[in-house]
Amino acid sequence: MSSVAVLTQESFAEHRSGLVPQQIKVATLNSEEESDPPTYKDAFPPLPEKAACLESAQEPAGAWGNKIRPIKASVITQVFHVPLEERKYKDMNQFGEGEQAKICLEIMQRTGAHLELSLAKDQGLSIMVSGKLDAVMKARKDIVARLQTQASATVAIPKEHHRFVIGKNGEKLQDLELKTATKIQIPRPDDPSNQIKITGTKEGIEKARHEVLLISAEQDKRAVERLEVEKAFHPFIAGPYNRLVGEIMQETGTRINIPPPSVNRTEIVFTGEKEQLAQAVARIKKIYEEKANSFTVSSVAAPSWLHRFIIGKKGQNLAKITQQMPKVHIEFTEGEDKITLEGPTEDVNVAQEQIEGMVKDLINRMDYVEINIDHKFHRHLIGKSGANINRIKDQYKVSVRIPPDSEKSNLIRIEGDPQGVQQAKRELLELASRMENERTKDLIIEQRFHRTIIGQKGERIREIRDKFPEVIINFPDPAQKSDIVQLRGPKNEVEKCTKYMQKMVADLVENSYSISVPIFKQFHKNIIGKGGANIKKIREESNTKIDLPAENSNSETIIITGKRANCEAARSRILSIQKDLANIAEVEVSIPAKLHNSLIGTKGRLIRSIMEECGGVHIHFPVEGSGSDTVVIRGPSSDVEKAKKQLLHLAEEKQTKSFTVDIRAKPEYHKFLIGKGGGKIRKVRDSTGARVIFPAAEDKDQDLITIIGKEDAVREAQKELEALIQNLDNVVEDSMLVDPKHHRHFVIRRGQVLREIAEEYGGVMVSFPRSGTQSDKVTLKGAKDCVEAAKKRIQEIIEDLEAQVTLECAIPQKFHRSVMGPKGSRIQQITRDFSVQIKFPDREENAVHSTEPVVQENGDEAGEGREAKDCDPGSPRRCDIIIISGRKEKCEAAKEALEALVPVTIEVEVPFDLHRYVIGQKGSGIRKMMDEFEVNIHVPAPELQSDIIAITGLAANLDRAKAGLLERVKELQAEQEDRALRSFKLSVTVDPKYHPKIIGRKGAVITQIRLEHDVNIQFPDKDDGNQPQDQITITGYEKNTEAARDAILRIVGELEQMVSEDVPLDHRVHARIIGARGKAIRKIMDEFKVDIRFPQSGAPDPNCVTVTGLPENVEEAIDHILNLEEEYLADVVDSEALQVYMKPPAHEEAKAPSRGFVVRDAPWTASSSEKAPDMSSSEEFPSFGAQVAPKTLPWGPKR
C-alpha cells in the first residue's frame, strides 16, 4: 500500500541547514561590498494571473538518476485513517494513554509491527503501520477490530457462487478477511439463504462487498466487461454517496463494481445483459472523458531514498504544498523512484514544479554511501541504548541505517550531507577495525564467586572496570547457572585483566577454606567471652569467619572459614582455650588411612557410638586424601585412654576380618537394652567381644541396631540381644505395695519420676491409685524383665525416702548467689551428683549484722516470744541456713561440696599507676580476666591511692587468677618501657616547597614511610607563625626515626635534581590531553615519572604548561605531549572548519551594524501623488473565495 506524507517549512529549512556556503546563495548587505538593493517588485513579486505550464516530468532527475539503484526493502509502511465518528475511544484528554495505548502495545508485541498514531485536525485517527507484510496485515486487522467501531452489511449472491468465495480449504475466504480486515459469514450449505454477512469497519465492508460481488460476477453466466479507468476518476463516476452509479445500475439493470478507494485497482467491472451492459459502459466512458479533460495525474522522478527527506519529519516538508493546494493528492510508493500527483491540472502543475525544485536541491546537496561491516559488530556500533550511533548521527548530521540482526546483513547505509557522510563512514570503519583487533576471552569462574566479584551495588566490578577501562566484562545471567565470564577489548588489556581477575579468584578460593573444630558444649561460652570479646578478638587477629552452633542446638562443632593457615591458627587458639579451662588430654593414634572410612561407619554411626560411650570425647580423623594415618583423640584423660583402647581394638578387628549384622527393636526398648550407664550392653560386649551400635537421634531408621565384630562374636551377641528383645515383647502385668505417703514423690512435677522410670525400663507403664483413695496398690505393665527392673527401682526410691534426713548448712547469705552459680547450675549439679534436695532460705532485706542492742517494742522483753537461739549472738541467722534433704551420707557429702563453693578473698599488690591499664577501656580488661578465671576482682578507688587489688572466688580459681593478674602486670610494665623507647623524637630540616611532594597525592608517600618504618611524622602547621616551617618531626624508636629521616632526605635529594620546563601547548587541546577525570594525564605522568601542571582559568598565558621531573624524563614527556598536541590540533582545526560551514561565526555578522533588509521603490517611499493600497478594498486585496477551506489531514486529503 502507498503512504502519503506532509512536508512543512521548518523541516525543509532543517535540511537546508546542512548545506555548505558554496552551495547556498546568500545576499549579504555588507557596507564594504554592497550592491544596489533590489526593487520592491523584485523582492516581492506579485502573484501570477495564471500558472505557467510546467515542463513534463519525464526529464531525467539529474546525473544521479542513473547511478542510484533502487533498494527493495522487506519492511513496508501502510497508513490509514479512522474518522472521528468511527473511533471506538473518543476521549481527547487521554490520547496516547489509557485503553487505546494498551491495545496498541499488545498489537505491537503480538504481531511485531510498529505503530504510530497521530490525531488529525478533524479529530480523526491517522495510524501508520510499519513492518514485514504479514505482520502489517495482521496488525491492521487487529487495529480495525479493536480501535474502530464495527458495522455489518449483507450482500446477496447466488448460492452456487458461495463456494468460489470460500475457495480451496477456505484459503480464499481467509485471505479476503485478512486483506479487508473484516469478518465474512457465509451460510452453511444446508441453509437456503443466499445472504453473506460482512462485519467490520465501513471501509472494510465496502472492500469485502466489492470483492465478493466481483467473484460472483466472474462466475455469472451473463456478460462481463472490464473498463480501465484511472483511479482518480472513480469518485466522479460513483457520484456523491454512490448515487450516480446507482442511477445507471437502476436504469440499465447492469451490475457495476467500482473498487473502493483503499483497493489499488483501476478496472471497473460491468455484469448484465449485453445491450444494457453496452449502454452502462458508454455512459461511464462519457463521464470519464468529460472529467479527464479537467483532471491530471502526473509523476515526478525522485530516488526512493530521498522520499523521506522530501516528506520530512512528521510530514512537515509537504505541509506547505498540501495546505496551498488541498485538492492535490501526493503519493509516495515504497521502493519506486517516483512521486505520483493527482488533482486539478493547474494545482498539479504548481505542486509538481515545487516538488521538482525540492528534488533537485536535495540531489545537489545530499549523498549516500554503503559500507560492509560484519553484522556481529553491529550491536557494538549501535552502543548501549543507541548511544554510539546517535552520537554519530547528531555530530555529522547524517542518517545511518543498520539492518536488524534477523537479516544477518553486513550492509550499512549512510545518507546525508556529503562531508558528514564521509566523516561518519570513516568513524564507523575505524570502530569496526578496532573491534576486529579486539580479543574476546572466556574466563571460567565458579558462579558462587560472581556475586562477591561484582560486590555490593557493583562496587568491586566498578573498580576493576575503572582499572581496565578498555575491557568490557560480561557476567552470565544467574538463572543460566554458567561459570563463563566474557572479557572483550584490546589484547594486552584483556590479558592484564584476566591475570588480575584470576588472582582475585585465587584469593577467594584461598579464603573459602573451611574446617570444623569439635569443642565441648560447656566451654562455648568461654570461647565467646563476655559480650563476644574473645571470639571477636580471635576473628580479627586470625582474619577468619567463625560460626558457633546455636545455644539450643546439640551440636558441639565450631566452623572456621578463611585462608588455610589462618584457619589452623584460629583452631589452635580455640583448642588452647578449651585445654586451659579443663583437664583435657590429647592423644594421637596411628591407624592406616585405608581403615578410616570403615571405622567412621555409615554416616559416622560407628565412631559416634565410641565417642558417646567414652564420655563424649572428640575423635578427629585427617582429611580424606591427605594420606595421613594420625587420628587425634581429645577429652578428659581417663576417657581418652578408654577411647584409644576401643579404637585400636576396632582397627585390629577391621584389619583381620569384620562381620556386620543388623537387628531390629522398638526404640523404647533401647535404653533398657543399654542399661544404666551402659552396664548391660557393656556386659554383652565383654562376654562376646562384638560391638553393638544403637541409632542416634538424627538417624531416620530408629529401630535398627548394628552389631560389628568377628563372625562368631557377632552371632553370639545377636543371639543374646534377640533373646532379650523377645522377652521384652512378652507383655505382663504385675503389682506392688507402696505406702500412700510416698505416692506424692512419684507423681509430682507431672509425674517426672514415673516418666524417667518408663524411659529407662523399656516403656513400662506404672499406675498409682488416684489421690483421695487410701489404696497402696501400684500396677506395672510391660515386658517381664522391664517390669521386674522397674519394681526394683521403685523399691530403691522408697528406701531412699524412708532413710531421708535433713541437714542444715550455714553459709552467709551474701555468698548464696555465688554458691548457686549462673542460673543455679552449681546447685543443680550437686543435686544430681548426690541425689539430694537443697533448699535456700528466703532473702532478708536487712541482711547486715547490727552491733546495736535490739530495740524493745511496746515494752516487750527482748527474748519474749522468740526461741533462745535467736537471741544467741553466736548462732547463725535463719537467712544463712541452707537445708539439704536425702540419705545421711549423701547429705553430708553435698554439705561439703556446698561449703567448697563459698568464695575466698586474697590480696595482690599491683602498683597504683598500673590500675587503669588493668581495668582497660570501659572496664574491658578487668571483665575479661573475671570471665576467664571465674573470680571477682576489686580495684580500690583512685582517691585511696592503694596498691592492693582484692580477688574473690573459689579457692581452686584464686591461684590461677593471681598468676594471671601478675602476668598482666609484667606485660604492662614491659609496655611502659616500650612506650618510653617509642617516644624518641628527631627533627629534620626540609625546604617547605618540597613538603607537598614528600606528603604525596592524598598522603600516599608519607603514609608509606610511616608504615614502613613504624613512626609518626609531623609536618609544621602553616597557620602557626611561631613554628619553624622547615622542621619535620619524626617520633618512634630511635633506629626507626633515623631510617625514616634517611628516606625523607633521599626524596629531597631526588627533588633537588629535578628540573621544571614550561611548554607552550595550545589551550584548545588541554582537555583532550587531560582526559576524562584526569585519567589520560595521570597515565602520562606515571609512564614518564614527571609532574605536569596546566594553567588555571584566567592565567596570563593559557598555553603555558609546566613539566617537572628528572631532566631526561622531562624531555621525553615534552616530546610525547607535543606529538599529542599535533595529532589533536588537526582534529580541532577540522572541527572548527566544519563549524564555519554549519553556522556563520558571530564576529562576522557583527563587523558592521545591520541596516536590515533594504528595497527600492517600496510603496511607503512613493511620492504623495501615488495612492497607497487600500487594505479594505476587495479589488486590491481579493479574497480566496467565500467558502472555508476544508480541513486537511496530516497524510493528505481523504479519498
Side-chain angles (χ1 to χ4, degrees), residues 641-872:
E641 285 302 318
K642 190 175 174 184
K644 180 182 175 183
K645 287 178 184 175
Q646 288 201 25
L647 199 60
L648 290 171
H649 179 67
L650 193 62
E652 190 181 340
E653 284 183 357
K654 291 281 181 188
Q655 274 184 314
T656 53
K657 191 177 181 185
S658 182
F659 186 72
T660 304
V661 165
D662 291 337
I663 60 172
R664 292 188 173 275
K666 293 178 183 176
E668 54 265 31
Y669 294 164
H670 290 187
K671 275 199 173 182
F672 181 76
L673 292 172
I674 293 166
K676 193 171 184 179
K680 286 188 178 179
I681 206 67
R682 198 180 301 113
K683 189 178 175 184
V684 171
R685 192 177 68 242
D686 292 345
S687 63
T688 63
R691 171 170 291 282
V692 183
I693 301 169
F694 286 85
E698 60 268 19
D699 288 344
K700 288 183 181 178
D701 195 347
Q702 290 291 310
D703 292 351
L704 194 68
I705 299 171
T706 306
I707 310 170
I708 299 172
K710 293 180 181 177
E711 187 174 357
D712 54 347
V714 168
R715 295 293 182 198
E716 193 177 339
Q718 181 185 5
K719 191 176 177 182
E720 286 189 29
L721 284 174
E722 284 177 346
L724 284 170
I725 293 164
Q726 192 175 357
N727 288 339
L728 291 173
D729 287 335
N730 297 328
V731 178
V732 296
E733 190 172 321
D734 202 353
S735 62
M736 65 182 295
L737 300 177
V738 177
D739 196 319
K741 69 179 181 183
H742 298 312
H743 288 192
R744 186 174 179 277
H745 175 79
F746 288 94
V747 297
I748 57 170
R749 297 193 299 277
R750 297 183 182 178
Q752 185 179 346
V753 177
L754 293 180
R755 282 202 305 275
E756 288 173 359
I757 291 170
E759 285 176 9
E760 194 171 344
Y761 299 104
V764 67
M765 291 174 60
V766 183
S767 302
F768 276 78
R770 291 185 181 179
S771 59
T773 60
Q774 292 302 311
S775 172
D776 58 358
K777 186 179 179 182
V778 177
T779 306
L780 296 90
K781 188 177 180 181
K784 186 177 179 182
D785 293 346
C786 294
V787 168
E788 290 300 324
K791 280 172 70 176
K792 189 177 177 183
R793 175 63 186 143
I794 291 170
Q795 199 61 47
E796 286 174 3
I797 292 170
I798 293 168
E799 286 174 11
D800 285 345
L801 290 171
E802 288 176 349
Q804 187 166 303
V805 297
T806 301
L807 281 183
E808 292 183 353
C809 179
I811 294 174
Q813 190 182 24
K814 64 180 179 180
F815 297 131
H816 286 188
R817 187 189 293 271
S818 175
V819 169
M820 286 181 185
K823 297 181 182 178
S825 58
R826 291 175 179 167
I827 290 301
Q828 289 167 13
Q829 187 64 40
I830 291 172
T831 54
R832 281 197 298 271
D833 291 348
F834 300 104
S835 301
V836 294
Q837 291 181 352
I838 301 171
K839 186 181 179 187
F840 279 78
D842 294 334
R843 188 172 179 82
E844 230 179 59
E845 292 299 327
N846 187 14
V848 182
H849 285 292
S850 178
T851 56
E852 296 178 7
V854 179
V855 178
Q856 295 180 4
E857 296 181 4
N858 299 331
D860 292 342
E861 293 292 330
E864 190 174 314
R866 300 182 188 175
E867 294 181 10
K869 70 177 179 179
D870 287 347
C871 299
D872 184 1

Side-chain angles (χ1 to χ4, degrees), residues 74 132 371-379 401-412:
S74 61
K132 295 199 174 177
I371 55 175
N372 273 297
I373 294 176
D374 197 324
H375 69 271
K376 68 183 177 184
F377 299 134
H378 287 187
R379 64 190 182 94
R401 289 190 176 186
I402 297 177
D405 289 342
S406 56
E407 290 186 14
K408 304 290 184 186
S409 171
N410 296 342
L411 199 67
I412 295 176

Side-chain angles (χ1 to χ4, degrees), residues 149-167:
T149 53
Q150 302 291 295
S152 64
T154 58
V155 58
I157 64 169
K159 186 77 175 173
E160 58 271 16
H161 294 175
H162 287 194
R163 62 192 183 92
F164 296 105
V165 175
I166 295 167

Side-chain angles (χ1 to χ4, degrees), residues 516-537:
S516 300
V517 187
I519 298 292
F520 294 103
K521 192 79 177 177
Q522 63 264 35
F523 299 129
H524 284 200
K525 62 184 172 90
N526 304 95
I527 287 163
I528 294 167
K530 192 160 187 180
N534 286 359
I535 199 74
K536 187 178 179 183
K537 187 177 179 184

Side-chain angles (χ1 to χ4, degrees), residues 15 40 74 154 234 266 297 337 376 450 579 749 813 990:
H15 286 293
Y40 180 80
S74 61
T154 58
H234 287 192
T266 57
V297 177
D337 293 340
K376 68 183 177 184
H450 290 188
K579 196 170 183 179
R749 297 193 299 277
Q813 190 182 24
V990 175

